[in-house]
Each structure stands twice: as C-alpha cells, then as structure tokens.
Amino acid sequence: MIRLRSLQKVNLDTLTNSYNFNAFLDEVNKQLKQKTQTSYAMFYTDINQFKLMNDNFGYQEGDYILKTFADSLLQIGDTNSILCRITGDKFALFLAYEDLDDLTNRALKLQAVSKQVCSPSGEFYKLSVRTGIYQIQPGDTAIVAVDRANIARKYAQLQRNGNFEFYNDEMRVSLIEQKKIEDVMEDALQNGEFLVYYQPKINITTKKICGAEALVRWMRPEVGLVSPASFIPIFEANGFIVNLDYYVLDRVCNRLRELIDQGFSVYPVSVNFSREHFKSDALPERLRQTIQKYQLPPELIEVEITESALASNDRYWLNLLNKIRSYGFGLAMDDFGSGMSSLNLLCDLPFKVLKIDKDFFHTKTTNIRERIVISSIVTMASQLDMDVICEGVETEDQIKFLQSIGCTMAQGYYYDKPLPSDVYEEKYLT
Ligand code: C2E
Ligand code: MG
Ligand code: MG
C-alpha cells in the first residue's frame, strides 16, 4: 500500500488517495536523503486522450477512471512506493527497483494493467498510457527526477506506438528543438514556408503517369529544406498537423485550378491526412468546401490515410471514411503492411486504393514466403475491386516482380523522387 502514514488530509489528493505535488516532493526528498544502496526510479505517466473520455463518458465516469488508474499504478510499485497526482490525468510514481530488467518489467506491467481498468458496469476501458522513466542518480532531487521523467514522457509521445521511454540527455536536446519548431510553426505557415512537392504515380504497363502524391516540405530560413519526418511527429503531438494538412489540400486544389485554366491535362493528386483528423468530424466537409472553392471535381483529390491510424480508436472513423467516399473523393490506405495489418480493415472500410508500404516491399521480397504474401494481397485487393499501388520502388527487379503478380501501379525513386511543383509540371503535364 501507498505510504500515507502521518499524512494530513491537506497533503492528499482526495480523489485518488495519492499525495499532492508538494507533499510528494517532500516525501521523495526525505527518502532520497537516507543513504541506502537502493536504486530508485521516477515514473511520469498520463492517459492518452483522457479528455475524450471525459467528453464521451462524463466527469463522474472520468473520476472513476482516474481513481482506478491510480490503483493500477500502485500495483507496479511496492510497499514503499510513493504516488502523486500532479494534475488532471498526470501521475508521478517514485519506486525502488533492482535492475533495468526489473524496471522494464514494471513499465510493461503498467501497460498491461492500464488495459484492465474496468468501468463500474464491468467493461474494460483499455486505457493507453505514455510513460517516461528516470533512473534516479545520487545527488538528484525529487524535482529533477520528475522533470526528467516528464521529458522522457514527452519524448514517448512523439514516437509512433511509443508507450514508455527511459530518459537520456539527447531527449532534452530534441525537446529544445521541438520547442523552437513550435515557436515558429504558425508564422511559417503564414509566410508560405511549407512547400508542396509532387511524386508521380506510374502505370507500370504503359509507363505513363496516372496520378501524383502531394508531400510537404518545409523551407526553413537559415536551415534549408526540411523533410516531414522531422516535423510531422511534433505537429501530430500538438495538433498543428490538422492546419498543415488543410493548407496542403488548399495549395494542391489552387494549383490544379490554375493548371486546368491554363489548358493542361491534370491527374488526380493524393493528399496525406494525419490520424489527428479522426478526433473531429470536420474533414469531409472541409474537403468538400475546398473543392467547391476551386470548382474542382472530387475525383481529382484522393485522401491518403495511413493504416496505423485505423488500428486504434475503435470504429469511430468509419462514418468519416464513408462520407469522404460518398462525396466522390478517392480514398487510399497508406503504408499497408507497415503495422499490424488487419485484413478485416480491407473488408469493412470503403477504401478504393491500397498503397503497399515501401519498407514492407524492400525488406521482404527476398523471401519467397513474403513474395507469396504480397502477391496474395494484390490478388485479394483486386478481387475486392481495389487498386493497388506499390510505394518505394527503386529497381527494375522490383518492377518485374510487381508485373508478375499483377500490380499495375508504382511510385518510387525508380521513376522519380518527390519533385518541386514546377519540375513535376514541366516533366509530366501536357
Ligand atoms: P508517405 O505518405 O508514405 O509518403 C511516401 C514517402 O516515401 C515519402 O517520404 C517519399 O519521399 C518516400 N519515397 C518515395 N519513393 C521512395 C523510394 O523509392 N525509396 C524510398 N526510400 N523512399 C521513397 P516523405 O516525403 O519524406 O514523407 C514521409 C511521410 O511524411 C509520408 O509518408 C507521410 O506519412 C508524411 N507526410 C508527408 N507530407 C504530409 C502531409 O502533407 N500531411 C501529413 N499528414 N503527412 C505527410
Ligand atoms: Mg502517403
Ligand atoms: Mg506511404
């Protein structure tokens, strides 16, 4: 049980029966001052999208979840562990541990018990939590330990599928960089620093272009051209990606309109939309408003949504996808094969296009069994009346293999890298 021996009520968070922040720091500092051989760690953890739970289930249920979650946290410590609710759904846990394996096991146990949190009626909430862990060093104070565990938690938030991270000094540097990016991102969008590059999609048989993908780049003053891998995770964590995606959509539509007006034959362009769009139901209308603004037919825009965005969140987004399709937009599942591909997704969801992930293709075609898997996916998709396009195609051999299994479209460096719009238009549009 938690150490609450001589604790007065004023030092308690009454909801979760844990320490409040100041009392927690005092208790931890006391413990750290006692010269023992014990290793201590600080966990800093919060519940993903807890606000949504409050919104969906109401505050009473929200409180119940917090209380039960606090109990789960205590299960990973021992009799001398100290728990604190810092604010809202953020908790710190101070505990003793034996070695790194022991600590990792406790972090894994926390993931597991979070999935077991039950509602009063006995339903599982399956909470997903992000945790930062700091292994306390001699001389550290409680506040330093909390700060570092929190840095590791923020870092875990930036990682796809990241559940917990151990603190290291590089994380601090990367969070400083993140802060810099967040300070300038709004102005960067206003100043037109985000550029849309286009990568052609090619019909393997005719060798002719059949579409393009819009991929964002950031021309940062004094830094140069920055690739999305270094800013998209940050924008996904802080929600700014939603604005950026809409901006890219607007620029793509604007350019299509100009090109059509100048008499060019244009091809459909796919635009990437982050998982963050699933947190509201605005996307279908926004798509429709934008094509109306530029007087474009919906078939010219294809919405790309990465497979991993669909793995969580229950079926909340099914309506959204159905609407997008019913409005006549293209809809592609991006990066298929990169995560826990669920074939059910293919059956149930209204995707028209399947994009096979570049890594899946690269690392696995050497193996005959994997070739069978890819070729079966292509067959199955075509039987489901979906188009299949393979991403990241770099060699002639890969093209031959794709041809042999009936995959008709490819995108990759073999044909072209993503190109600045003027270069793309010069080379591909007539
Ligand atoms: P993605 O949508 O799967 O895009 C394909 C990525 O593969 C692009 O990286 C592209 O440059 C790269 N690629 C294409 N052909 C090859 C090849 O032959 N070999 C290799 N090794 N790579 C190839 P990029 O442009 O760096 O984009 C990375 C990811 O960033 C995209 O993956 C997408 O998830 C995200 N992204 C890019 N632009 C946007 C955007 O406007 N909004 C959102 N939400 N995400 C975006
Ligand atoms: Mg994509
Ligand atoms: Mg992709």
Side-chain angles (χ1 to χ4, degrees):
M1 249 318 280
I2 182 173
R3 290 164 21 116
L4 293 170
R5 281 187 307 263
S6 57
L7 198 65
Q8 291 168 358
K9 262 215 149 89
V10 67
N11 289 330
L12 260 184
D13 169 50
T14 44
L15 176 66
T16 58
N17 255 344
S18 55
Y19 281 78
N20 73 26
F21 194 48
N22 286 333
F24 173 77
L25 293 179
D26 287 347
E27 275 298 307
V28 171
N29 279 328
K30 255 189 241 162
Q31 186 102 352
L32 289 175
K33 277 196 189 114
Q34 289 168 11
K35 299 248 176 300
T36 63
Q37 293 300 308
T38 318
S39 304
Y40 291 109
M42 185 68 75
F43 278 49
Y44 194 126
T45 190
D46 76 341
I47 302 172
N48 292 334
Q49 301 189 6
F50 181 69
K51 192 183 160 302
L52 275 185
M53 303 205 110
N54 265 338
D55 293 348
N56 290 340
F57 302 122
Y59 282 93
Q60 207 177 355
E61 196 102 340
D63 281 355
Y64 181 86
I65 297 173
L66 286 176
K67 191 173 163 8
T68 324
F69 179 61
D71 294 342
S72 323
L73 268 165
L74 286 171
Q75 285 182 37
I76 67 152
D78 55 30
T79 47
N80 287 319
S81 306
I82 310 175
L83 180 67
C84 163
R85 180 155 78 114
I86 299 177
T87 56
D89 62 333
K90 296 188 171 55
F91 290 85
L93 178 71
F94 172 81
L95 49 76
Y97 69 97
E98 279 173 20
D99 52 24
L100 196 57
D101 276 352
D102 175 35
L103 207 49
T104 307
N105 284 334
R106 287 172 198 257
L108 288 169
K109 186 172 172 196
L110 175 58
Q111 301 301 322
V113 292
S114 309
K115 303 248 178 312
Q116 304 291 324
V117 170
C118 257
S119 74
S121 58
E123 262 179 72
F124 288 120
Y125 286 116
K126 298 206 169 172
L127 301 182
S128 122
V129 297
R130 295 276 155 85
T131 306
I133 303 166
Y134 178 61
Q135 295 167 272
I136 297 175
Q137 305 298 311
D140 285 339
T141 57
I143 191 74
V144 164
V146 170
D147 279 347
R148 294 192 172 172
N150 192 24
I151 286 173
R153 177 189 65 88
K154 288 186 188 159
Y155 193 86
Q157 243 170 8
L158 293 181
Q159 309 306 307
R160 280 267 144 85
N161 311 320
N163 293 321
F164 61 89
E165 294 282 340
F166 289 93
Y167 171 86
N168 64 47
D169 281 334
E170 283 94 72
M171 286 178 180
R172 205 170 14 185
V173 177
S174 112
L175 284 178
I176 291 169
E177 178 58 19
Q178 175 185 346
K179 175 80 177 47
K180 275 192 207 153
I181 286 182
E182 291 185 325
D183 286 345
V184 297
M185 64 191 187
E186 308 260 0
D187 287 346
L189 192 64
Q190 293 296 323
N191 298 341
E193 288 173 26
F194 292 100
L195 308 176
V196 181
Y197 274 42
Y198 292 85
Q199 187 176 35
K201 300 174 186 170
I202 306 290
N203 179 315
I204 300 175
T205 322
T206 62
K207 300 199 169 25
K208 294 225 165 85
I209 179 172
C210 53
E213 177 174 6
L215 291 157
V216 72
R217 303 287 181 262
W218 185 358
M219 182 55 94
R220 277 183 80 183
E222 287 154 38
V223 176
L225 199 66
V226 183
S227 80
S230 62
F231 55 85
I232 283 186
I234 296 173
F235 293 171
E236 286 193 325
N238 66 24
F240 186 67
I241 190 68
V242 171
N243 302 357
L244 181 61
D245 287 347
Y246 286 149
Y247 175 80
V248 171
L249 173 70
D250 187 86
R251 291 299 82 202
V252 166
C253 290
N254 177 284
R255 192 64 198 144
L256 281 169
R257 180 76 260 158
E258 287 173 352
L259 289 165
I260 293 169
D261 289 346
Q262 290 164 26
F264 285 96
S265 309
V266 293
Y267 299 94
V269 177
S270 61
V271 179
N272 293 279
F273 287 92
S274 157
R275 68 195 70 224
E276 289 301 296
H277 290 277
F278 290 148
K279 291 185 181 161
S280 100
D281 49 14
L283 179 60
E285 295 313 322
R286 185 64 177 255
L287 281 160
R288 199 146 75 158
Q289 282 162 10
T290 313
I291 57 159
Q292 272 165 6
K293 175 175 166 195
Y294 294 105
Q295 297 289 303
L296 296 171
E299 303 80 49
L300 277 182
I301 297 296
E302 181 176 279
V303 172
E304 281 196 22
I305 292 170
T306 179
E307 175 201 72
S308 59
L310 305 168
S312 57
N313 282 358
D314 298 316
R315 308 251 130 174
Y316 174 69
W317 26 260
L318 185 58
N319 261 343
L320 221 74
L321 299 181
N322 279 330
K323 250 191 189 170
I324 291 171
R325 278 296 281 152
S326 74
Y327 291 170
F329 295 98
L331 186 60
M333 187 190 291
D334 202 0
D335 307 331
F336 185 79
S338 62
M340 302 285 288
S341 309
S342 162
L343 297 180
N344 281 343
L345 289 177
L346 293 188
C347 300
D348 301 348
L349 300 178
F351 284 94
K352 183 72 188 94
V353 179
L354 193 67
K355 297 192 83 177
I356 298 185
D357 189 58
K358 56 179 184 303
D359 294 335
F360 188 67
F361 188 65
H362 275 162
T363 53
K364 297 187 177 170
T365 40
T366 46
N367 176 330
I368 184 74
R369 294 172 71 89
E370 301 296 350
R371 281 176 176 244
I372 293 170
V373 170
I374 297 183
S375 109
S376 308
I377 290 171
V378 171
T379 309
M380 184 178 57
S382 73
Q383 283 168 351
L384 291 169
D385 198 26
M386 296 174 83
D387 301 325
V388 181
I389 172 159
C390 211
E391 295 187 282
V393 175
E394 293 182 353
T395 66
E396 180 83 41
D397 276 355
Q398 291 170 337
I399 296 286
K400 285 195 183 127
F401 168 64
L402 290 178
Q403 264 168 337
S404 75
I405 62 169
C407 177
T408 51
M409 285 186 292
Q411 180 184 341
Y413 297 169
Y414 177 74
Y415 296 109
D416 252 318
K417 292 194 166 175
L419 303 167
S421 61
D422 54 340
V423 180
Y424 162 75
E425 289 160 12
E426 174 77 31
K427 186 161 172 188
Y428 287 100
L429 302 190
T430 49

